[in-house]
Amino acid sequence: MTPTADPDTAPRPRGHACVQSYLATLDNSPGVYRMLDSESRVLYVGKARNLRKRVSNYAKPSGHSGRISRMISETASMMFLTTRTETEALLLEQNLIKQLKPRYNVLLRDDKSFPNILVAKDHAFPQIRKHRGARTEKGAYFGPFASAGAVNRTLNQLQKVFLLRNCTDSVFESRSRPCLLFQIKRCSGPCVGRISEADYAAAVRDAEDFLKGKSSGLQEALAAEMQQASDAMEFERAAGLRDRIRALTQVQSAQGINPRGVAEADVVALHMEGGQACVQVFFIRAHQNWGNRDYYPKTGSGAEAPELLQGFLGQFYDNKEPPRLILLSHDIEDRDLMAEALSQKAGRRVELSVPQRGEKAELVENATRNARESLGRRMAESAAQGKLLAGLAEAFALDAPPKRVEIYDNSHIQGSHAVGAMVVAGPEGFLKSQYRKFNIRGDSLTPGDDFGMMKEVLTRRFQRLLKEDPDRASETWPDLLLIDGGAGQVGAVAEIMADLGVEDLPVVGVAKGIDRDAGKEEFHRPGERPFALRHNDPVLYFVQRLRDEAHRFAIGTHRAKRAKAMGATPLDEIPGVGATRKRALLTHFGSAKAVGRAGLADLKAVEGISDSLAETIYGFFHERG
């Protein structure tokens, strides 16, 4: 009798045979599929209009690119999710890619939000300021701008032209005389009645029209007003209008390339070289260039341009509102489907176009040139960084150049407001999106106990790593730990790592040498004698940069925590009192101490404070004694 293999213990097919085994259970529905390796790690996430037809393509033994062939050969299992429409499948695919980060998918690592200009409308004299994040405040939003610097430059010029306030409401309410901005003609002084509400509202409308691109008549109107002031011998007012006209001209000339035929668009251009890719995004709003940003997505082990650009678009607009027009340097695989998905997200029509001639094509060509030049610079920097990492491996006797170096430091003042900081560097330089800060929580720590602080930071960091990725399959595991400290710190760190069961990670301590002079650093490894590098060794300068960056980040984090603590009041502890009500209470009473002394009737008289909340506030202070 021939024994029958136990289906639970029999080896599962891999590669084409594995893919073929799923065809019998698939129908023609749209959906998303995941390809997994033998350890159930997701290799690839894809969407399909017809799951059976798409998966049958992978089951064919030939006709695939080298990248797809490698992916299929590693596939040991698959997972499927059906959807109602292909558009839903596309949106689900992009969400899963961002969540799972499969090796063979295109991955966008930097998905930060962009800053906007906000003209707040919750006050009789609206404030103009920079805004980032969800658009929850009442007002008019203009953007996105490519960087905070672009916003600040525009705000600076807008203040010169329109004289709108940028102070907070609490500062506005507390002014008794004009501030410095009024003196240097950057504000019209609404806080002390130097401008009427109607005139200020007119200035706000002019500023909004300018940001909408409707500024053609604004300069002429200001020139006519200046002439009238001059004729009436109001020379000081005429000089002020002249300065505003000059500022407006400067704003218009500083906007860069201002396309006449494109009112609102994102220009997305891709350049690929040497297995790397750069995507440049230019933001065109109100016929003005509001800056550009470059991105370096992972190419999914060799994706072609159409797939790479499609993956980028899906992830880039996952948390951003798409404009009405997106100009592309390359066509993508499912352009109509992507346009439909983005239109559904925006609640209006979004068009994707690959222009071949005219002004739009020139915009794309300019963005492509920037992408090519940015990638060239990055590749040159990566080559230099690679040499430094190789030198680091040689200096510290590592098996290979590290791909991820984590540098740790603490900051505190006599133990108060203690924070830990982790800085990350790799072949691409400092990875600022990977930086982490740790608020030291240990109540039993002696103030100023650096060893105890480091133990808490490393324990929290590596306990989480061990929980999320015990097999060290992801890129979040470091190859080298650099600690700001000497033999004592290194010994303590080695003991911590041994307790966690992570004893194979190289640890190096960087300690100031004789007289604590830079350039005389000593390096410590567990159980070894300290050593130094040559004074002019590039690797020494590299380590100094790593340590100094960790020190800068730790101190900045500590200062921010200390400043926040200094600005805290007992009002922060009262349930139901948020930022708006806190501001209302402080404006009404002048200080948190005065709020604590106020009677119940006085608290109820504050705008925005209900009777029940007034009783809560009164009880909070009086129960505390």
Side-chain angles (χ1 to χ4, degrees):
M1 182 175 177
T2 305
T4 303
D6 184 346
D8 294 329
T9 59
R12 301 184 64 179
R14 297 182 61 174
H16 298 288
C18 172
V19 177
Q20 182 74 40
S21 67
Y22 287 95
L23 289 177
T25 60
L26 292 176
D27 57 17
N28 299 324
S29 302
V32 173
Y33 58 93
R34 280 177 272 183
M35 308 178 83
L36 294 82
D37 65 11
S38 57
E39 297 181 10
S40 297
R41 294 176 297 203
V42 180
L43 297 170
Y44 184 78
V45 175
K47 65 106 180 82
R49 180 182 305 168
N50 184 318
L51 279 172
R52 180 177 174 80
K53 186 178 292 187
R54 174 59 63 87
V55 173
S56 66
N57 290 334
Y58 291 118
K60 297 175 182 176
S62 61
H64 305 293
S65 66
R67 165 176 169 262
I68 299 300
S69 295
R70 291 195 305 273
M71 182 180 71
I72 294 173
S73 67
E74 296 177 33
T75 300
S77 62
M78 296 185 71
M79 296 176 65
F80 304 91
L81 283 169
T82 59
T83 58
R84 292 177 299 174
T85 65
E86 190 182 4
T87 303
E88 287 184 7
L90 175 63
L91 297 173
L92 178 58
E93 174 199 35
Q94 298 305 326
N95 288 336
L96 288 174
I97 289 172
K98 293 189 74 170
Q99 176 185 343
L100 301 173
K101 298 178 173 55
R103 177 150 51 100
Y104 286 97
N105 280 102
V106 173
L107 299 177
L108 175 61
R109 286 169 288 184
D110 186 355
D111 59 352
K112 293 181 181 177
S113 62
F114 293 103
N116 293 267
I117 286 178
L118 168 63
V119 181
K121 295 295 181 68
D122 56 355
H123 196 282
F125 294 95
Q127 172 197 24
I128 185 168
R129 67 175 188 270
K130 178 173 61 180
H131 176 86
R132 192 190 290 270
R135 299 185 175 188
T136 55
E137 296 184 55
K138 183 181 179 182
Y141 293 85
F142 301 93
F145 287 80
S147 65
V151 173
N152 292 336
R153 285 191 296 273
T154 303
L155 283 173
N156 185 41
Q157 298 300 331
L158 288 175
Q159 278 186 277
K160 293 180 181 178
V161 178
F162 303 106
L163 309 182
L164 302 183
R165 73 178 181 97
N166 66 355
C167 59
T168 63
D169 290 350
S170 58
V171 170
F172 181 94
E173 301 296 341
S174 65
R175 296 299 305 183
S176 59
R177 58 182 179 176
C179 66
L180 180 61
L181 288 176
F182 176 81
Q183 306 296 338
I184 63 174
K185 297 181 174 58
R186 296 290 183 89
C187 180
S188 53
C191 56
V192 289
R194 297 301 178 95
I195 185 173
S196 69
E197 188 173 331
D199 288 343
Y200 190 89
V204 170
R205 287 194 298 272
D206 287 342
E208 290 180 343
D209 285 343
F210 175 78
L211 290 168
K212 292 174 183 175
K214 302 175 183 177
S215 59
S216 57
L218 181 58
Q219 203 155 352
E220 291 84 350
L222 288 174
E225 190 177 348
M226 181 182 69
Q227 186 61 48
Q228 290 175 2
S230 178
D231 293 342
M233 295 188 178
E234 298 176 359
F235 298 119
E236 186 175 349
R237 179 164 164 263
L241 289 165
R242 178 202 61 199
D243 294 341
R244 291 175 65 184
I245 292 171
R246 287 178 178 173
L248 181 59
T249 303
Q250 186 177 354
V251 173
Q252 291 169 334
S253 62
Q255 291 289 351
I257 301 171
N258 295 328
R260 295 183 179 180
V262 181
E264 176 187 332
D266 283 353
V267 184
V268 184
L270 166 69
H271 180 73
M272 301 180 68
E273 184 179 339
Q276 299 185 48
C278 175
V279 178
Q280 278 276 348
V281 183
F282 279 72
F283 304 99
I284 308 296
R285 299 293 185 273
H287 296 279
Q288 299 170 356
N289 179 2
W290 282 358
N292 64 297
R293 180 79 69 86
D294 51 355
Y295 295 89
Y296 302 91
K298 287 190 175 181
T299 60
S301 300
E304 298 296 326
E307 181 183 352
L308 197 152
L309 200 53
Q310 177 166 311
F312 174 85
L313 292 173
Q315 295 171 60
F316 182 75
Y317 290 111
D318 178 62
N319 63 344
K320 303 173 184 68
E321 183 176 344
R324 299 179 187 278
L325 175 64
I326 301 173
L327 302 176
L328 305 176
S329 60
H330 299 72
D331 206 354
I332 60 177
E333 296 175 347
D334 300 299
R335 196 202 312 176
D336 292 341
L337 182 64
M338 180 63 73
E340 182 182 343
L342 294 179
S343 299
Q344 181 177 314
K345 182 181 187 303
R348 51 173 167 73
R349 184 170 181 267
V350 174
E351 178 187 356
L352 274 65
S353 174
V354 186
Q356 302 299 318
R357 61 182 65 86
E359 186 180 37
K360 294 176 181 177
E362 292 176 4
L363 289 171
V364 172
E365 182 182 352
N366 179 53
T368 303
R369 183 179 66 255
N370 277 270
R372 181 172 60 251
E373 293 171 355
S374 295
L375 184 58
R377 288 192 296 270
R378 184 180 179 87
M379 291 174 72
E381 292 169 2
S382 295
Q385 187 80 356
K387 290 181 181 178
L388 290 172
L389 291 171
L392 202 65
E394 182 179 352
F396 296 153
L398 307 180
D399 295 334
K403 295 182 179 179
R404 182 184 176 98
V405 182
E406 293 185 357
I407 310 98
Y408 292 86
D409 195 10
N410 299 325
S411 183
H412 59 90
I413 294 179
Q414 296 180 343
S416 65
H417 311 304
V419 295
M422 179 187 83
V423 166
V424 183
E428 298 168 354
F430 288 113
L431 306 177
K432 294 193 175 183
S433 63
Q434 301 289 310
Y435 288 14
R436 294 293 180 269
K437 58 186 177 182
F438 301 84
N439 288 315
I440 304 299
R441 304 170 182 162
D443 297 329
S444 60
L445 290 178
T446 303
D449 181 4
D450 285 331
F451 289 179
M453 293 179 193
M454 186 61 67
K455 180 176 182 178
E456 179 177 332
V457 169
L458 290 174
T459 300
R460 286 164 56 186
R461 164 66 177 156
F462 284 94
Q463 278 183 345
R464 182 169 182 174
L465 265 182
L466 288 166
K467 180 181 178 181
E468 295 179 349
D469 185 18
D471 299 324
R472 307 191 189 185
S474 69
E475 298 178 354
T476 55
W477 274 88
D479 304 306
L480 172 66
L481 302 184
L482 284 181
I483 307 298
D484 185 19
Q489 286 277 30
V490 169
V493 170
E495 183 180 337
I496 295 165
M497 302 304 284
D499 291 342
L500 293 169
V502 184
E503 302 180 59
D504 55 339
L505 284 183
V507 178
V508 176
V510 185
K512 293 285 181 67
I514 301 172
D515 299 326
R516 300 182 64 82
D517 285 343
K520 297 181 180 179
E521 282 83 358
E522 289 185 342
F523 300 96
H524 299 260
R525 297 192 63 177
E528 298 181 9
R529 293 176 61 86
F531 62 96
L533 298 175
R534 294 193 324 272
H535 184 70
N536 61 349
D537 192 332
V539 175
L540 175 60
Y541 298 142
F542 180 49
V543 174
Q544 289 172 349
R545 276 174 45 214
L546 297 177
R547 180 201 57 200
D548 292 346
E549 174 67 1
H551 195 53
R552 179 201 65 80
F553 184 60
I555 289 177
T557 303
H558 166 72
R559 286 175 176 167
K561 183 178 180 180
R562 193 173 76 233
K564 183 177 180 181
M566 290 171 65
T569 73
L571 300 177
D572 297 320
E573 304 174 29
I574 305 176
V577 177
T580 302
R581 287 170 176 160
K582 176 183 173 182
R583 183 166 60 243
L585 288 165
L586 291 175
T587 300
H588 188 91
F589 292 104
S591 68
K593 184 179 289 186
V595 175
R597 292 197 300 260
L600 185 58
D602 294 328
L603 290 169
K604 291 180 179 180
V606 179
E607 184 178 356
I609 303 298
S610 65
D611 290 352
S612 60
L613 181 57
E615 292 174 1
T616 300
I617 297 169
Y618 184 82
F620 174 83
F621 284 104
H622 288 76
E623 287 172 9
R624 286 159 55 112

